[in-house]
Amino acid sequence: MKPTKPTQLLLLSCLPLAVLAAEPGPPRAPAAPASGPVLSLLEPSADGCEWVRFQPVRQTREVLARLAAGCQGGTTAVSRDGRWGALRFWRGGVSAPVQGRPTFPEPFPSAAFRDRLFLVEVDTATARELPLPGSGELIEFGFDASGQLLGLTLQRLTPEQERAGGVELDGTRLSFHLEGRGRPLLAHAFAWRDGAWVRREVKLTTDAVGTAELGPRASLGERSNVTLDPRFTPEEIESDALLDQLHPLTPEQPDGEWGLLREGTATLAVWGVPYGERALATGLLRKVERGRALPLPGFDYGANDLTRARTQGAFLLLSLADSGGHPRLYRGTRPVWRSETARAVTFWPH
């Protein structure tokens, strides 16, 4: 693949460092229940934003929390038992174009926008706002196997600490050596316990590695910032007949190439933008069935949009990457549901 252009890297700088450093494997696609899939999504309301559990086939809607906050920048996490959720609203939870103008331009968060985090008890539909962890910037959050809420932060070192070659924290000396391998940072893992954030671990890291140095990160469960990651490992298209069908769609810009994305029961031909050894999925795609490149009715994304595809049984869910906005749900190639206002749209975890 060709290397990613600097402008493309710049536009992707809003992605969390932890997400960019991760290398998630292909998720399994569970079978959808007879009533169809259940979605988790955020929707604007007159009073702010609602977190909703939604069955698009039956059109049933359950409000899990009502929040006095706008939905822009919203991301979600759910505990493994489904009893607890966490919602964060931050500047990084927006969609960025590959380059140029996206199909769905999003206003940049205003100066009044502030980072907010809420803990939700799903059964009682009650939410309370939590303070953010005190050290560094919150990069990732989620629930571990025991249902405890974790917050992972990255903290820049002061010039004095960089010159000293390390830092002393909680009675422990952390030393580092600068050898051109990225800017040094401190990565913290906090747990919300008894009404306060308690630090569980701190590690030296770099801006290239992010929170991946932290052991508790591996225990985090379902969270939309990972679910909506646009990166994929493209499979080479070997069929000349399929490439002939895709050739008229090939854009002049941005740089990229066609590849296959296999997600559960679906196979998609996707125009991917190079990103290291992987690629970023754009909105230029076709569903592949029996060697044919089939357009999806009502799918109006373009080559400048970053997208995420997920499946559950026979259902295919497409949305903008990162924000999870403008979702389109299909069964085969038949449209089932779409929204222009919902955000952070994912399948509700089983």
Side-chain angles (χ1 to χ4, degrees), residues 114-144:
R114 64 187 179 94
D115 197 345
R116 305 179 71 181
L117 179 68
F118 295 84
L119 180 63
V120 177
E121 186 175 7
V122 173
D123 291 342
T124 60
T126 56
R128 58 171 170 155
E129 186 168 3
L130 304 184
L132 299 176
S135 299
E137 179 185 1
L138 182 63
I139 299 297
E140 286 197 272
F141 66 99
F143 296 89
D144 64 13

Side-chain angles (χ1 to χ4, degrees), residues 51-123:
W51 184 29
V52 176
R53 189 159 49 191
F54 177 60
Q55 287 185 297
V57 175
R58 291 187 173 182
Q59 290 290 299
T60 59
R61 184 177 182 275
E62 177 188 6
V63 177
L64 304 178
R66 290 183 170 89
L67 307 166
C71 288
Q72 188 178 30
T75 57
T76 64
V78 183
S79 65
R80 286 167 172 78
D81 58 11
R83 294 179 55 199
W84 294 93
L87 308 178
R88 184 191 181 193
F89 301 90
W90 71 306
R91 294 177 186 273
V94 298
S95 294
V98 178
Q99 69 173 29
R101 185 175 177 83
T103 303
F104 307 98
E106 183 170 6
F108 195 79
S110 70
F113 186 96
R114 64 187 179 94
D115 197 345
R116 305 179 71 181
L117 179 68
F118 295 84
L119 180 63
V120 177
E121 186 175 7
V122 173
D123 291 342

Side-chain angles (χ1 to χ4, degrees), residues 157 161-167 173-186 203-207 209 213:
L157 300 178
Q161 290 169 335
E162 290 191 17
R163 286 194 295 268
V167 61
R173 173 75 178 178
L174 300 173
S175 301
F176 57 87
H177 302 282
L178 292 177
E179 298 178 355
R181 292 175 294 183
R183 183 172 182 174
L185 302 169
L186 287 175
K203 289 284 187 69
L204 279 167
T205 185
T206 68
D207 53 4
V209 178
E213 287 285 348

Side-chain angles (χ1 to χ4, degrees), residues 33-47:
S35 57
V38 179
L39 303 180
S40 165
L41 54 88
L42 300 175
E43 279 187 333
S45 68
D47 299 322

